[in-house]
Amino acid sequence: MSTQYKDDVLLEASRVRAVPPPLFKVLLLNDDFTPMDFVIEVLEQLFSMDREQATRVMLQVHQLGRGVCGIYTKDIAATKVEQVLQFARTHQHPLQCVMEEN
């Protein structure tokens, strides 16, 4: 609660409520060319997943066409997407990564 005073007189008392920022899912998209081991490597290195969790997400990408890597605020999600795309380009794989509002 914020209280404002002017000349020792209470002007206004108001409650300040912070609104949480919108969250975005970072998704990997399936393709027929990127090796499964590379997808697991991306998930381990860029999303700090252990081998088991990375394998589950990789299988979700493979079987369902896309898989959720994480949920972040907009700026962090955009950075993660760019990191994945750059890492894939560097290793000459067509892996695609997108973000969508949660």
Side-chain angles (χ1 to χ4, degrees):
M1 183 178 278
S2 125
T3 306
Q4 298 177 6
Y5 291 93
K6 183 175 181 180
D7 299 325
D8 295 328
V9 176
L10 176 65
L11 293 179
E12 177 183 332
S14 64
R15 229 171 248 258
V16 177
R17 186 174 295 197
V19 177
L23 297 176
F24 291 78
K25 293 182 207 173
V26 175
L27 304 161
L28 286 182
L29 305 179
N30 189 40
D31 64 71
D32 294 331
F33 304 102
T34 304
M36 293 179 181
D37 288 340
F38 182 75
V39 175
I40 291 172
E41 182 181 351
V42 166
L43 293 166
E44 288 175 336
Q45 288 189 19
L46 301 179
F47 295 94
S48 301
M49 293 185 188
D50 60 29
R51 176 69 75 173
E52 185 178 326
Q53 186 180 12
T55 301
R56 274 191 303 243
V57 173
M58 177 276 299
L59 289 172
Q60 185 181 32
V61 171
H62 180 69
Q63 294 168 349
L64 302 177
R66 63 192 216 155
V68 178
C69 304
I71 300 175
Y72 306 95
T73 58
K74 186 176 184 178
D75 291 342
I76 295 173
T79 300
K80 291 287 188 183
V81 168
E82 187 54 40
Q83 287 174 338
V84 170
L85 296 176
Q86 181 61 42
F87 192 71
R89 276 193 301 266
T90 300
H91 291 86
Q92 299 179 344
H93 292 296
L95 182 64
Q96 291 298 301
C97 185
V98 296
M99 62 187 248
E100 68 180 33
E101 196 160 358
N102 193 19

